Amino acid sequence: MDGRRVFLKRFVKSGFGLLAFLFGATLLRFLYPSQVRARQLLYHPLLKEDDIPRQGVRRVHLTYDKGEKTITMRLFLVHAGADIFALSSSCAHLGCLVDWSRHKEQFICPCHGGKYDMQGNVVAGPPPLSLARMPLKIENGIVYIGIKV
Ligand code: FES
């Protein structure tokens, strides 16, 4: 009899503990969604370091698995002076895909005429923000791009 009572007490206590943990985790995610998500950054291999353009812009595609889906996204690797960085191809206005014009040395959005310089800064049109820079790291000769999950 005492054994059953002790077991039930422990069972109820552990159930309340689990509920409190789940409630706290949900509350934390609700109150600080960006901070919680910002910590969850996964790096995916893009290409070899030798394939970075010596100077200028190269359009590349990143393919990675997200759950059961395979995602392919277009982005740009930029080598400007000593800086190497990755820019999203998603226009900051309404999300159309921009493309690099080697002739004009600008990223051009086909939807509403948004234009960006090589750094991704807006130079014309309606985009309210620069092209987003994507997290990039180079390790052991491989370029990785960080994706928030
Ligand atoms: S979506 Fe690019 S300028 Fe509007």
Side-chain angles (χ1 to χ4, degrees):
M1 191 77 159
D2 282 341
R4 255 173 72 187
R5 192 172 292 159
V6 169
F7 171 77
L8 282 174
K9 278 185 177 178
R10 285 184 183 161
F11 183 77
V12 169
K13 281 182 182 176
S14 63
F16 277 120
L18 180 63
L19 280 176
F21 172 77
L22 291 174
F23 177 75
T26 304
L27 185 65
L28 193 66
R29 192 171 173 86
F30 175 75
L31 292 176
Y32 305 103
S34 59
Q35 285 85 349
V36 170
R37 287 190 194 123
R39 291 187 202 121
Q40 298 172 334
L41 189 66
L42 290 180
Y43 281 89
H44 303 277
L46 178 66
L47 44 71
K48 294 179 187 170
E49 187 176 5
D50 294 343
D51 294 330
I52 294 173
R54 292 191 191 282
Q55 282 296 311
V57 177
R58 180 171 176 190
R59 186 171 74 181
V60 291
H61 289 88
L62 175 68
T63 300
Y64 61 96
D65 292 329
K66 184 176 182 182
E68 295 180 7
K69 292 182 183 172
T70 298
I71 308 286
T72 297
M73 64 185 304
R74 185 166 88 183
L75 56 120
F76 297 95
L77 264 184
V78 182
H79 193 171
D83 287 342
I84 297 171
F85 52 91
L87 292 175
S88 166
S89 64
S90 181
C91 181
H93 181 220
L94 294 176
C96 291
L97 294 181
V98 303
D99 211 349
W100 173 249
S101 167
R102 187 176 295 167
H103 175 67
K104 295 181 180 175
E105 294 206 331
Q106 289 179 333
F107 294 100
I108 296 176
C109 180
C111 293
H112 312 104
K115 294 178 182 172
Y116 305 83
D117 65 16
M118 186 187 277
Q119 302 291 325
N121 301 311
V122 180
V123 293
L129 298 169
S130 305
L131 292 173
R133 285 199 182 202
M134 305 189 66
L136 178 151
K137 70 177 182 180
I138 301 172
E139 282 182 3
N140 301 320
I142 304 291
V143 178
Y144 293 87
I145 298 296
I147 301 291
K148 292 179 184 172
V149 291

